[in-house]
Amino acid sequence: MNDKGSIAGRVVDAAGRPVSGVTITISSSTQPTSDLATLTNADGRFRLSGLAPGPYGLSAHRRGQPVGEAEAEVRPGQPAEVEIRLHE
């Protein structure tokens, strides 16, 4: 049985259009998360895999500035789905 999970999602602008090239980082009060970051693709999508179950905070950064956030609950064997709407 797979005891790891993942977070999958997308980043959109205020009009709901996908945004590429946004850096997504995660943090957790219960799990080590250093070096866990990814970029959104051309469709604004991202995925972080191999995560231990538990709550995570996600931060979106563009050109070094924070532009959005979300929370996700990772469960074993199933992706947590999130959408981050930019607030720039």
Side-chain angles (χ1 to χ4, degrees):
M1 181 174 168
N2 184 2
D3 63 345
K4 299 289 184 178
S6 62
I7 299 172
R10 68 183 197 135
V11 175
V12 297
D13 64 15
R17 295 180 299 255
V19 182
S20 65
V22 175
T23 301
I24 305 298
T25 58
I26 64 171
S27 61
S28 170
S29 61
T30 61
Q31 302 296 328
T33 58
S34 61
D35 300 328
L36 289 178
T38 191
L39 288 174
T40 57
N41 66 15
D43 296 322
R45 298 202 173 275
F46 65 91
R47 182 179 196 91
L48 291 157
S49 301
L51 303 174
Y56 290 86
L58 292 88
S59 297
H61 291 80
R62 197 170 186 197
R63 294 181 288 278
Q65 299 297 314
V67 293
E69 59 278 325
E71 293 182 1
E73 181 72 29
V74 172
R75 290 181 170 59
Q78 64 185 48
E81 296 283 338
V82 298
E83 181 175 273
I84 300 175
R85 189 168 294 267
L86 299 184
H87 56 66
E88 49 178 356

